[in-house]
Amino acid sequence: DSDPDWKPRVIIPAFTNAHTHIGDCSLPDGATGMTLEQAFFRPDGYKYQQLAKLDRKQQIEDITNHLKFMASSGTVRHFDFREQGVGGVTLLREAGAQSGVDSIILSQFNDSPFSVDVLEQPNTAPPLPTEYIRELTDCFAAGGDGFSESTMNDLTESSWVQIRELTEQHGKLRAIHCLESSSYRDTSIDRHNTGDLSRALSLYQPHLIVHMTIANAEEIELASRIHTSAENVSTKPAYVLCPRANAVLGLPTPPISKLLDANLPLLLGTDNVMLNVPNMFAEMDFTYKIAKSQYQDAVQPNPKKILEMATVNARYIPGVGACDLEVGRPANFVVLDFSAPHLSRSCNLIATIVTRVTPDNVEMTVHNGKVIY
């Protein structure tokens, strides 16, 4: 205390942002006033129309700047659903090299392999055309870490099995959006007599399932049963919640309290940069308060659970190490300056981290022993 430069500091594990679409960072708030379908569905959604028009140099600059912001706000790794096929992979790899933040790239086809007419005839739906198999392997060769798709309704049943087998052969990750809106479930039931989550778990067996926004009791029980019974860890998906993105699109917020009670492995993501700043402090704060409201309980949830969703729960993703503070582990941590008046007299340190810290309070971010901010 005698040192005039002394100030209180707190060290926390570094953040993993488990779901982003960083490619649309050049279009902030471009989807304002649009529905989910108008903004994000292929081929006519606003995002895809605008991505096709973007100058590559400008897009790299914008992505690089946003990755640097992520580093400055404590994030060392993000899982990105990367549109634009092979070009999208190389673009993000080029941008990421300048930031120090690890981009786990989950590639998406540059265009839709199947027309709606084909997808609406599930009994005769064909396998994945050869050129798309080639595109996916080219994405892996270019540095892609796995595959992602918007919904289970975008490909045929046989093509999901093909992609699962191909990613297994290459040792790559699989991810999917599920139950983001009622249309996901309803379309799946109309075509296949079962919901999109059930099909994802049986056909595709993803490592990451994103959203669960409208998950009902039956679907949560299915997810829990898979999590507790699967023998191979790669068949136990982690579930990524993005409540701020759901809210800004006018969708329900996910049933956070029920998902926590089911003891599912939960992570947090900020989703499309077009919708949200990739700020994990804001995501934790919103998630905690929504969960409190859902529980209608002065005790639950423990704020530690929310902090874990943003940090150490990345351990549930195969091949991805947790950012924790264990001795002997890679150094991935964030130093917070707690001298600010809204932090310095905290009566509950973890609750304060979850609800009051902002990126302005980040003094240092360290990734694998290297200071990246």
Side-chain angles (χ1 to χ4, degrees):
D1 289 355
S2 61
D3 184 347
D5 295 325
W6 182 90
K7 55 186 174 182
R9 294 179 174 88
V10 172
I11 296 176
I12 64 172
F15 294 131
T16 293
N17 189 335
H19 184 58
T20 62
H21 292 264
I22 202 167
D24 60 25
C25 67
S26 300
L27 308 166
D29 300 315
T32 303
M34 296 182 189
T35 65
L36 176 67
E37 291 78 11
Q38 290 169 335
F40 299 108
F41 277 28
R42 284 191 293 188
D44 299 321
Y46 173 83
K47 178 179 76 171
Y48 289 97
Q49 293 293 313
Q50 296 303 312
L51 283 178
K53 300 175 184 178
L54 288 175
D55 173 74
R56 179 181 173 86
K57 182 179 179 182
Q58 183 63 58
Q59 196 175 9
I60 289 175
E61 180 180 339
D62 292 341
I63 292 174
T64 300
N65 288 338
H66 279 80
L67 288 170
K68 289 179 178 178
F69 169 80
M70 291 166 73
S72 74
S73 55
T75 295
V76 300
R77 176 171 56 201
H78 71 121
F79 287 77
D80 196 74
F81 276 36
R82 187 71 279 266
E83 305 86 356
Q84 301 175 287
V86 176
V89 175
T90 58
L91 188 151
L92 182 49
R93 281 283 172 250
E94 184 174 342
Q98 305 174 49
S99 70
V101 174
D102 282 348
S103 296
I104 312 299
I105 301 176
L106 305 169
S107 301
Q108 188 180 84
F109 295 123
N110 193 41
D111 55 50
S112 300
F114 303 105
S115 68
V116 173
D117 289 342
V118 169
L119 293 170
E120 288 181 342
Q121 302 176 50
N123 293 330
T124 59
L128 197 65
T130 303
E131 60 267 31
Y132 290 94
I133 295 175
R134 186 181 307 114
E135 180 182 357
L136 186 53
T137 56
D138 287 347
C139 285
F140 297 159
D145 299 293
F147 178 77
S148 66
E149 189 48 84
S150 292
T151 80
M152 286 299 296
N153 303 317
D154 295 326
L155 299 174
T156 63
E157 305 297 82
S158 59
S159 63
W160 285 117
V161 174
Q162 285 177 279
I163 291 169
R164 186 190 76 214
E165 293 173 347
L166 189 62
T167 51
E168 287 174 348
Q169 291 169 13
H170 288 265
K172 301 295 183 177
L173 294 171
R174 299 181 293 279
I176 189 70
H177 300 121
C178 278
L179 298 171
E180 184 174 9
S181 75
S182 58
S183 69
Y184 289 26
R185 180 199 289 137
D186 293 346
T187 299
S188 182
I189 290 173
D190 287 345
R191 294 177 184 173
H192 305 281
N193 298 314
T194 190
D196 59 315
L197 177 64
S198 175
R199 290 172 53 233
L201 292 169
S202 61
L203 290 170
Y204 182 44
Q205 299 177 15
H207 303 97
L208 280 176
I209 292 179
V210 180
H211 288 308
M212 299 290 283
T213 311
I214 60 159
N216 59 31
E218 182 180 349
E219 288 158 335
I220 294 173
E221 195 279 329
L222 171 63
S224 179
R225 189 168 66 248
I226 292 291
H227 177 64
T228 56
S229 65
E231 295 181 5
N232 187 331
V233 70
S234 69
T235 66
K236 294 183 179 181
Y239 295 83
V240 186
L241 308 186
C242 309
R244 285 194 304 150
N246 301 147
V248 78
L249 286 168
L251 298 169
T253 52
I256 303 164
S257 60
K258 294 177 181 178
L259 294 165
L260 283 168
D261 287 346
N263 293 314
L264 292 172
L266 301 178
L267 294 87
L268 287 179
T270 58
D271 210 345
N272 298 78
V273 182
M274 179 163 63
L275 297 176
N276 283 318
V277 175
N279 174 0
M280 292 296 285
F281 291 109
E283 203 69 40
M284 288 195 300
D285 180 37
F286 191 77
T287 300
Y288 179 62
K289 289 169 181 173
I290 292 294
K292 292 286 287 183
S293 178
Q294 292 175 353
Y295 273 116
Q296 299 185 19
D297 186 330
V299 177
Q300 298 183 88
N302 186 328
K304 182 181 177 183
K305 291 287 187 182
I306 308 301
L307 181 60
E308 289 173 345
M309 290 167 67
T311 55
V312 298
N313 282 5
R315 67 182 183 271
Y316 291 112
I317 306 171
V320 177
C323 293
D324 56 37
L325 302 180
E326 296 294 327
V327 175
R329 299 276 296 160
N332 291 290
F333 61 86
V334 183
V335 179
L336 304 176
D337 176 1
F338 255 60
S339 63
H342 64 287
L343 303 178
S344 61
R345 297 184 64 82
S346 171
C347 297
N348 185 313
L349 183 60
I350 294 180
T352 298
I353 293 167
V354 168
T355 65
R356 295 176 183 268
V357 174
T358 73
D360 290 341
N361 306 121
V362 173
E363 188 172 279
M364 180 186 297
T365 302
V366 175
H367 183 32
N368 289 331
K370 179 181 178 182
V371 175
I372 63 171
Y373 173 76

